[in-house]
Amino acid sequence: TSNYSVINNPIADNLVDHFPLCMQHLYQNLCENHHLKHYARIQFNLFLKGIGLTVEESLAFWKKSFSKVDEDKFQKDYAYNIRHNYGVEGKRQDYKPLNCMSLITKHRPNSGEIHGCPFREFSQPNLRAKLVQMGVRNDEHIREILNLAEEEHYQVACTKYFEITKGLLDKNNDSIIIETIEHPNEYLNASVLLEKN
Ligand code: SF4
């Protein structure tokens, strides 16, 4: 299990090992800083919605996670947007969890922001460090993922990361099952399914 589940929030903590790298990164930062900026909140909140959290569960999650923010500020600055993602405020549009293509191409992070896709946004040294932190230790595997990211095959890099971390490569280093990851929630569902089988 994860070593950064410091929020002790059963909904996320129980599933954190199934999160793709983008969501691992956001959740890790949330645990450390008790805060996420605007686009990171949208990305993670819609991901939680995709997992099946109700708007009430999501509000409870964020309240607990933003533990340094008092109730007034939470209601004023954050709760509206969280409910908005669920379509219970504003235009009442029911926003869908963001797919990889949106996360890779839209609202790219400025300095100080951490949302988006790590395979696109991280420098090569930072991506390498992150992969090692997540348990990818084989040099050939690390090089393969870094090369894919450098060649702008971000989703293929993510898929390779999935295969490597789940032990899905055969002895020739070829993939046995999986199609290219298109959506963070699809990544999570595939990971949960694997554990069940
Ligand atoms: Fe997340 Fe998709 Fe990037 Fe994988 S490819 S880290 S699921 S945005």
Side-chain angles (χ1 to χ4, degrees):
T1 54
S2 160
N3 55 5
Y4 50 78
S5 304
V6 296
I7 294 175
N8 193 22
N9 196 317
I11 294 158
D13 291 346
N14 289 340
L15 285 172
V16 67
D17 292 333
H18 298 293
F19 287 1
L21 200 57
C22 52
M23 302 303 173
Q24 291 267 2
H25 184 55
L26 296 188
Y27 189 59
Q28 185 171 9
N29 270 272
L30 180 60
C31 291
E32 284 167 7
N33 305 321
H34 308 283
H35 190 267
L36 286 178
K37 291 187 178 175
H38 181 70
Y39 285 115
R41 284 203 304 278
I42 294 176
Q43 177 173 339
F44 200 70
N45 194 42
L46 290 175
F47 176 67
L48 294 178
K49 183 180 175 186
I51 292 176
L53 266 70
T54 63
V55 64
E56 289 79 20
E57 287 168 334
S58 179
L59 282 164
F61 169 85
W62 288 105
K63 181 80 188 82
K64 192 160 186 176
S65 305
F66 276 38
S67 55
K68 299 198 170 132
V69 170
D70 69 31
E71 178 65 23
D72 273 2
K73 186 171 168 55
F74 182 79
Q75 290 303 333
K76 193 160 128 301
D77 293 352
Y78 305 115
Y80 178 89
N81 279 328
I82 293 162
R83 287 197 296 265
H84 192 267
N85 292 161
Y86 273 81
V88 294
E89 296 281 6
K91 285 188 289 178
R92 299 193 171 255
Q93 185 176 338
D94 194 17
Y95 293 92
K96 297 226 169 345
L98 301 171
N99 64 23
C100 298
M101 199 42 88
S102 312
L103 292 170
I104 287 167
T105 56
K106 292 187 189 154
H107 305 296
R108 297 209 30 222
N110 292 317
S111 103
E113 291 182 313
I114 59 156
H115 62 272
C117 174
F119 295 100
R120 169 154 211 182
E121 305 302 343
F122 280 28
S123 67
Q124 291 261 306
N126 285 354
L127 184 54
R128 170 184 287 273
K130 189 65 160 182
L131 294 174
V132 171
Q133 182 200 1
M134 300 309 292
V136 184
R137 298 285 152 79
N138 176 311
D139 273 346
E140 196 183 327
H141 288 160
I142 292 175
R143 224 174 309 121
E144 203 174 350
I145 296 173
L146 290 177
N147 285 344
L148 286 166
E150 195 167 52
E151 290 162 5
E152 303 183 3
H153 301 308
Y154 311 116
Q155 291 170 236
V156 183
C158 180
T159 308
K160 187 58 73 180
Y161 169 79
F162 184 99
E163 291 165 341
I164 289 167
T165 53
K166 309 290 177 192
L168 297 179
L169 298 178
D170 66 17
K171 59 181 181 333
N172 299 320
N173 217 15
D174 289 326
S175 159
I176 4 188
I177 320 179
I178 187 167
E179 292 180 11
T180 305
I181 300 284
E182 306 274 352
H183 198 294
N185 288 91
E186 177 199 324
Y187 182 111
L188 175 124
N189 292 343
S191 176
V192 170
L193 261 182
L194 263 181
E195 193 181 71
K196 282 191 185 148
N197 288 333

